[in-house]
Coordinates of all heavy atoms in Angstrom, one line a residue:
Y141 N 179.3 315.6 67.3 CA 178.9 314.2 67.5 C 180.1 313.3 67.5 O 180.1 312.2 68.2 CB 177.9 313.7 66.4 CG 176.5 314.3 66.7 CD1 176.1 315.5 66.1 CD2 175.6 313.5 67.5 CE1 174.8 316.0 66.4 CE2 174.3 314.0 67.7 CZ 174.0 315.3 67.2 OH 172.7 315.8 67.4
Y142 N 181.2 313.5 66.7 CA 182.2 312.6 66.5 C 183.6 313.2 66.7 O 184.0 314.2 66.0 CB 182.2 312.0 65.1 CG 180.8 311.4 64.7 CD1 179.9 311.8 63.8 CD2 180.4 310.2 65.4 CE1 178.8 311.4 63.5 CE2 179.2 309.6 65.1 CZ 178.3 310.2 64.1 OH 177.1 309.7 63.8
R143 N 184.4 312.6 67.5 CA 185.7 313.2 68.0 C 186.6 313.1 66.7 O 187.5 314.1 66.6 CB 186.2 312.5 69.2 CG 186.7 311.1 69.0 CD 187.2 310.5 70.2 NE 186.3 310.1 71.1 CZ 186.5 309.8 72.4 NH1 187.7 309.9 72.9 NH2 185.5 309.4 73.2
W144 N 186.4 312.2 65.9 CA 187.4 311.9 64.7 C 187.2 313.0 63.7 O 188.1 313.3 62.9 CB 187.1 310.6 64.2 CG 185.7 310.2 63.7 CD1 184.8 309.5 64.5 CD2 185.1 310.6 62.5 NE1 183.6 309.3 63.8 CE2 183.8 310.0 62.6 CE3 185.4 311.3 61.4 CZ2 182.8 310.2 61.6 CZ3 184.5 311.5 60.4 CH2 183.3 311.0 60.5
D192 N 173.3 310.9 58.0 CA 173.2 310.3 59.4 C 171.9 310.8 60.1 O 171.5 311.9 60.2 CB 174.4 311.1 60.3 CG 174.6 310.4 61.6 OD1 173.8 309.7 62.1 OD2 175.8 310.5 62.1
K194 N 171.2 311.0 63.1 CA 171.4 311.8 64.2 C 171.7 313.3 63.9 O 171.5 314.2 64.6 CB 172.5 311.4 65.2 CG 172.4 310.0 65.7 CD 173.4 309.7 66.6 CE 174.8 309.5 66.0 NZ 175.9 309.1 66.9
H228 N 182.3 302.8 54.8 CA 181.7 303.3 56.1 C 182.7 303.7 57.1 O 182.7 304.6 57.8 CB 180.6 302.3 56.7 CG 179.7 303.0 57.6 ND1 178.9 302.3 58.5 CD2 179.4 304.3 57.9 CE1 178.2 303.1 59.2 NE2 178.4 304.2 58.9
P232 N 185.9 307.5 59.6 CA 186.0 307.5 61.0 C 187.2 306.7 61.6 O 187.6 306.9 62.7 CB 184.7 306.8 61.5 CG 183.8 306.9 60.3 CD 184.7 306.8 59.1
Y247 N 189.0 303.7 70.5 CA 188.4 302.5 69.9 C 189.0 301.2 70.5 O 188.3 300.3 70.9 CB 188.5 302.6 68.4 CG 188.0 303.8 67.6 CD1 188.5 304.1 66.5 CD2 187.1 304.7 68.2 CE1 188.1 305.2 65.7 CE2 186.6 305.8 67.5 CZ 187.1 306.0 66.2 OH 186.7 307.1 65.6
A250 N 188.3 300.7 74.1 CA 186.9 300.2 74.3 C 186.7 298.8 74.1 O 186.0 298.2 74.9 CB 186.0 301.2 73.4
E267 N 188.0 299.2 64.2 CA 186.5 299.1 63.6 C 185.5 298.6 64.5 O 184.5 299.3 64.7 CB 186.6 298.1 62.4 CG 187.4 298.6 61.2 CD 187.5 297.6 60.0 OE1 187.0 296.4 60.3 OE2 188.0 297.9 59.0
T268 N 185.8 297.6 65.3 CA 184.9 297.1 66.3 C 184.7 298.0 67.5 O 183.6 298.3 68.0 CB 185.3 295.8 66.8 OG1 185.6 294.8 65.7 CG2 184.2 295.1 67.7
G269 N 185.8 298.7 67.8 CA 185.8 299.6 68.9 C 185.0 300.9 68.6 O 184.2 301.5 69.3
A270 N 185.1 301.3 67.2 CA 184.3 302.4 66.8 C 182.8 302.1 67.0 O 182.1 303.0 67.2 CB 184.6 302.7 65.3
L271 N 182.5 300.9 66.7 CA 181.0 300.5 66.9 C 180.6 300.5 68.3 O 179.6 300.9 68.7 CB 180.8 299.1 66.3 CG 181.0 298.9 64.8 CD1 181.0 297.4 64.4 CD2 179.7 299.5 64.1
V272 N 181.5 300.0 69.2 CA 181.3 300.0 70.6 C 181.0 301.4 71.2 O 180.1 301.6 72.0 CB 182.5 299.4 71.4 CG1 182.3 299.6 72.9 CG2 182.5 297.9 71.0
I273 N 181.8 302.4 70.8 CA 181.5 303.7 71.4 C 180.7 304.6 70.4 O 180.7 305.8 70.5 CB 182.8 304.5 71.7 CG1 183.6 304.8 70.3 CG2 183.7 303.6 72.6 CD1 184.9 305.5 70.5
D274 N 180.0 304.0 69.5 CA 179.1 304.7 68.6 C 179.7 305.8 67.8 O 179.2 306.9 67.8 CB 177.9 305.3 69.3 CG 176.7 305.6 68.5 OD1 176.5 304.9 67.5 OD2 175.9 306.5 68.9
A275 N 180.8 305.5 67.1 CA 181.6 306.5 66.3 C 181.3 306.5 64.9 O 181.8 307.2 64.1 CB 183.1 306.3 66.6
L276 N 180.5 305.5 64.5 CA 180.1 305.5 63.0 C 178.8 306.2 62.7 O 177.8 306.0 63.6 CB 180.0 304.0 62.5 CG 181.3 303.2 62.6 CD1 181.2 301.9 62.0 CD2 182.5 303.9 62.0
P277 N 178.6 306.9 61.6 CA 177.4 307.6 61.4 C 176.2 306.6 61.2 O 176.4 305.4 60.7 CB 177.6 308.3 60.1 CG 179.1 308.6 60.1 CD 179.6 307.3 60.7
H278 N 175.1 306.8 61.6 CA 173.9 306.0 61.4 C 173.2 306.3 60.1 O 172.4 307.2 59.9 CB 172.8 306.2 62.5 CG 173.3 305.9 63.9 ND1 172.7 305.3 64.8 CD2 174.6 306.0 64.5 CE1 173.3 305.2 66.0 NE2 174.6 305.6 65.8
R303 N 175.5 295.9 65.7 CA 175.2 297.3 66.1 C 174.2 297.9 65.3 O 173.5 298.7 65.8 CB 176.7 298.1 65.9 CG 176.5 299.6 66.1 CD 176.3 299.8 67.7 NE 176.0 301.2 67.8 CZ 174.8 301.8 67.8 NH1 173.8 301.1 67.4 NH2 174.6 303.1 68.1
F304 N 174.1 297.5 64.0 CA 173.0 298.1 63.1 C 172.2 296.9 62.7 O 172.2 296.6 61.4 CB 173.7 298.8 61.9 CG 174.6 300.0 62.4 CD1 175.9 300.0 62.2 CD2 173.9 301.1 63.0 CE1 176.7 301.1 62.6 CE2 174.8 302.2 63.3 CZ 176.2 302.2 63.1

Side-chain angles (χ1 to χ4, degrees):
Y141 283 90
Y142 304 113
R143 70 180 79 195
W144 54 264
D192 194 338
K194 296 186 295 182
H228 199 195
Y247 304 158
E267 292 175 352
T268 309
L271 292 167
V272 169
I273 66 173
D274 199 28
L276 299 185
H278 296 220
R303 178 64 187 85
F304 299 113

